[in-house]
Amino acid sequence: MSNKPGFFKRLKALEPEQKKLFAIALCQRMYPNYQLFSEVCEFGDPQVLDTVLNLLWQSMYDQKLKLNIDLYLERLDLNTPEPSDFDVYGVYPAMDAAVALTSLLSAIQSKVEDDITNISKLSSATVANYIEATLEEEMDEEALDDHIFNHEVMQEEKALQASLLEIIEENPKITADFVKALRKELVQAGVSNIGISAGA
């Protein structure tokens, strides 16, 4: 084990802009979940989420960019699916993707840094719910917790969040090149936190 402080302690120790970048990266990774659900269920407009993501990435290095947060919160609200309206599992990760962006915009507006770091937990919760939904047998709570924690998709999620945190810690000066390279890497990887491919 390394002697580094715990993950959340390190995340909370980041500068506000670094936290924001971490959260944007996680939202980008949740986006394919919404895209696929939208195509399959013909609900919502993925372009709305994509536009918000583009503006958020750009806002990291374009100081002149002014985000009309209220407008985008309204648009996200209109495009957030209500699970009770659908009988497919995909509504949940899609809703989480929209909620993550809504939470991030609200946190930026209210300057509540804890709400920004909570997106890390939301992304992990999407993964945990996915693992539970794909279970083939009943388990008691303890066995289920173990199963979720040790599941390959959860291990990948934890590894990605850990490496993302490390990259951001190592680059305290957030440059346009750094932001663009990080975004490109995530978009090109094209796989969501639950293994859904972008444009699948």
Side-chain angles (χ1 to χ4, degrees):
M1 288 295 287
S2 70
N3 296 325
K4 280 190 171 176
F7 176 82
F8 280 105
K9 201 170 180 183
R10 288 164 57 207
L11 188 56
K12 285 181 167 38
L14 294 176
E15 292 299 319
E17 284 299 283
Q18 291 177 298
K19 287 178 183 161
K20 185 174 146 190
L21 182 59
F22 182 85
I24 295 169
L26 292 186
C27 289
Q28 181 71 54
R29 219 170 143 249
M30 294 167 88
Y31 172 66
N33 299 337
Y34 187 93
Q35 222 178 354
L36 180 68
F37 167 76
S38 178
E39 278 169 33
V40 172
C41 294
E42 297 182 346
F43 169 88
D45 181 3
Q47 197 58 52
V48 170
L49 279 75
D50 195 37
T51 301
V52 173
L53 277 165
N54 286 336
L55 289 168
L56 283 166
W57 282 111
Q58 203 181 331
S59 73
M60 289 305 307
Y61 55 82
D62 182 353
Q63 302 308 316
K64 292 194 286 291
L65 182 74
K66 286 280 173 273
L67 270 174
N68 185 341
I69 289 181
D70 289 330
L71 173 73
Y72 288 109
L73 284 173
E74 201 176 303
R75 287 185 183 167
L76 284 168
D77 187 46
L78 293 172
N79 285 278
T80 301
E82 184 53 63
S84 56
D85 295 341
F86 300 91
D87 57 358
V88 294
Y89 166 73
V91 66
Y92 293 100
M95 177 183 73
D96 287 349
V99 166
L101 273 174
T102 301
S103 306
L104 178 51
L105 286 180
S106 301
I108 291 168
Q109 192 173 45
S110 59
K111 297 188 168 51
V112 179
E113 290 182 32
D114 278 358
D115 290 353
I116 298 180
T117 52
N118 278 341
I119 289 166
S120 164
K121 293 175 184 166
L122 179 60
S123 181
S124 300
T126 303
V127 177
N129 293 336
Y130 164 75
I131 295 167
E132 201 169 336
T134 52
L135 268 187
E136 288 176 4
E137 59 194 276
E138 287 291 313
M139 289 184 179
D140 65 36
E141 202 166 315
E142 199 174 324
L144 178 63
D145 284 348
D146 280 350
H147 176 72
I148 289 171
F149 183 79
N150 294 306
H151 196 284
E152 173 189 11
V153 185
M154 183 58 89
Q155 291 297 326
E156 281 171 13
E157 169 72 4
K158 291 200 175 307
L160 180 116
Q161 288 205 28
S163 68
L164 186 60
L165 176 60
E166 207 157 289
I167 292 165
I168 292 173
E169 281 176 335
E170 287 167 2
N171 292 275
K173 192 171 175 352
I174 297 172
T175 62
D177 287 345
F178 173 61
V179 173
K180 288 174 183 172
L182 183 62
R183 177 189 182 185
K184 189 176 175 188
E185 199 177 319
L186 284 162
V187 172
Q188 281 181 342
V191 178
S192 81
N193 54 350
I194 57 171
I196 286 173
S197 298

